[in-house]
Amino acid sequence: MSELENKNGVFKSDLMRTFRQLKESRAESVSEDVEIIYKRRIEDLCHRIRNYDRDRENILLDLSPSSLTSGAVVPSDFDATKFMEKDVEIGLNKRDAIIQLEIVLDRYEYLFGPLADTTAVLKVLPEWKSKLVR
């Protein structure tokens, strides 16, 4: 703590900072907030994509017999059109989420540099490579 802060307290010393120091401090704060939002969006999209894969597995599992003595689906009750529509809907939602993820990743790298932890991204987009680290 400097002699000025001891004498006047932190409030007054903050008020006496230069405009440039205030601007840098504010820029750091805003940048950190925006970066956190981008990282969260990347994580949320990765999670959503993994859930679409699970949803597709689940609609297939629903067709499997639940035990040796009973079947989950009776052929006369099965609606092939509904199954196909649900499967396609999941696929379209997954594709849209992948497109959003690619856009957010591109913007993140443009704004903040390479993503430090790419583990979650590579689980859902194994072929993805940073455009900045080649």
Side-chain angles (χ1 to χ4, degrees):
M1 194 179 267
S2 72
E3 193 174 307
L4 179 65
E5 286 176 346
N6 284 336
K7 196 173 187 182
N8 297 320
V10 174
F11 182 74
K12 188 170 182 181
S13 66
D14 275 356
L15 290 175
M16 295 172 65
R17 290 191 302 172
T18 66
F19 178 73
R20 180 181 175 91
Q21 290 169 328
L22 289 171
K23 191 173 178 181
E24 286 174 4
S25 176
R26 180 68 179 138
E28 243 178 69
S29 175
V30 168
S31 175
E32 182 180 292
D33 289 348
V34 173
E35 184 174 6
I36 287 170
I37 290 169
Y38 269 84
K39 282 181 179 179
R40 285 182 184 157
R41 181 67 175 189
I42 290 168
E43 290 172 4
D44 290 346
L45 286 165
C46 289
H47 180 72
R48 190 181 314 165
I49 292 165
R50 285 193 312 271
N51 281 340
Y52 288 135
D53 289 338
R54 289 182 194 121
D55 290 347
R56 268 199 164 151
E57 287 176 25
N58 287 338
I59 64 171
L60 290 174
L61 288 175
D62 290 345
L63 297 174
S64 300
S66 57
S67 71
L68 294 175
T69 58
S70 69
V73 174
V74 176
S76 61
D77 294 339
F78 180 70
D79 187 337
T81 303
K82 282 186 180 178
F83 174 83
M84 186 269 317
E85 288 172 354
K86 182 67 176 171
D87 191 42
V88 169
E89 178 186 350
I90 292 169
L92 290 171
N93 290 336
K94 179 181 175 182
R95 184 196 63 189
D96 291 346
I98 288 171
I99 291 168
Q100 287 179 41
L101 177 59
E102 289 170 344
I103 291 168
V104 173
L105 284 166
D106 284 347
R107 291 303 296 166
Y108 179 91
E109 287 195 328
Y110 175 76
L111 296 169
F112 306 105
L115 185 64
D117 182 8
T118 60
T119 308
V121 173
L122 293 174
K123 282 182 182 176
V124 296
L125 296 176
E127 72 284 351
W128 180 79
K129 297 210 182 330
S130 170
K131 290 182 179 176
L132 301 177
V133 185
R134 290 195 179 182

